[in-house]
Amino acid sequence: MEDMIMAIAEQWGYVGIAVLIALENIFPPIPSEVILTFGGFLTTFTKLNIWGVILAATTGSVAGALVLYFAGWLLGRERLLKFLDGRAGRLLHFKKEDVELTLEWFSKKGKAAVFFCRCIPILRSLISIPAGMSGMAIGPFMVMTTAGTLVWNIVLVHMGAFAGASWGIITKWMDTYKNWTILVLAALLSVAAAVIFRRVKKRKKS
């Protein structure tokens, strides 16, 4: 995959980088760290410049985020609640009231979540779905997405340009960061699952 990413970025320049980053937002397994650090490296020996790469990557990122935002918006709050209010919700032990409270919280406090999650692998893509599902206004969503994405892009593109031909070292560091992120997320999910299990057990006893 990395060879294909590098070939597209090198051959198509800004357009290639924008398209790759847009796809990365929709399909998280595509590594943005490879695209961005290699894009930074390209600025050291091609006509591409650092801010052009950052602008292209940010444009692609916002475009990809909007796709997932509207996917969440189309699913919608009511459809989700209706789904969870049925047999699936009972099997998963989700309470409609808990989901409503979560969506309410996200609609009020989700701006910070959208901003910070743009700098966290995996979550940087997935955060767009609950944003759309909770009915977060598209204006604030785009502002926070653009701001958070800019931070991520500026750091990685500059790191790639600074590292030059050794840009691959940066991707190895980022792999470690991603692996730790996955471990932390897995731990949090385990804790959440344990809490839900205890609540379900208490309800059965009562």
Side-chain angles (χ1 to χ4, degrees):
M1 183 183 287
E2 288 191 11
D3 291 339
M4 181 186 70
I5 288 171
M6 289 185 286
I8 292 172
E10 191 167 6
Q11 184 173 354
W12 296 98
Y14 297 131
V15 174
I17 290 169
V19 171
L20 285 169
I21 289 292
L23 291 174
E24 177 266 335
N25 273 264
I26 301 170
F27 305 105
I30 298 176
S32 65
E33 56 271 19
V34 172
I35 304 167
L36 296 171
T37 51
F38 182 69
F41 169 53
L42 287 177
T43 65
T44 64
F45 68 94
T46 68
K47 293 181 179 179
L48 300 182
N49 66 73
I50 286 178
W51 287 103
V53 171
I54 291 170
L55 178 61
T58 303
T59 301
S61 185
V62 173
L66 283 172
V67 171
L68 293 185
Y69 171 89
F70 283 113
W73 181 78
L74 286 172
L75 175 60
R77 179 193 189 105
E78 295 306 317
R79 287 183 183 176
L80 176 64
L81 292 175
K82 187 177 179 181
F83 173 76
L84 293 176
D85 206 26
R87 186 180 178 187
R90 289 192 295 272
L91 289 172
L92 295 170
H93 301 294
F94 279 121
K95 284 184 68 178
K96 183 179 177 180
E97 295 77 11
D98 291 340
V99 176
E100 283 182 322
L101 285 173
T102 302
L103 292 176
E104 284 292 338
W105 176 88
F106 196 94
S107 65
K108 294 176 181 177
K109 308 290 185 180
K111 293 178 185 177
V114 170
F115 175 80
F116 288 109
C117 284
R118 298 306 302 176
C119 298
I120 301 175
I122 303 173
L123 290 183
R124 66 188 309 271
S125 298
L126 299 180
I127 193 65
S128 302
I129 297 174
M133 196 178 295
S134 67
M136 181 179 180
I138 193 167
F141 171 76
M142 289 189 68
V143 170
M144 292 297 104
T145 295
T146 302
T149 296
L150 267 174
V151 173
W152 180 258
N153 293 346
I154 287 171
V155 170
L156 288 184
V157 172
H158 275 91
M159 287 175 74
F162 179 77
S166 301
W167 66 273
I169 296 173
I170 309 296
T171 63
K172 291 180 180 178
W173 292 346
M174 294 308 298
D175 279 341
T176 302
Y177 173 48
K178 182 184 288 185
N179 291 336
W180 275 106
T181 300
I182 292 171
L183 287 172
V184 171
L185 289 175
L188 290 174
L189 286 172
S190 297
V191 171
V195 171
I196 292 171
F197 178 76
R198 285 181 182 178
R199 286 183 179 177
V200 171
K201 204 171 180 180
K202 284 182 180 178
R203 283 177 200 159
K204 286 181 179 179
K205 286 182 178 179
S206 59

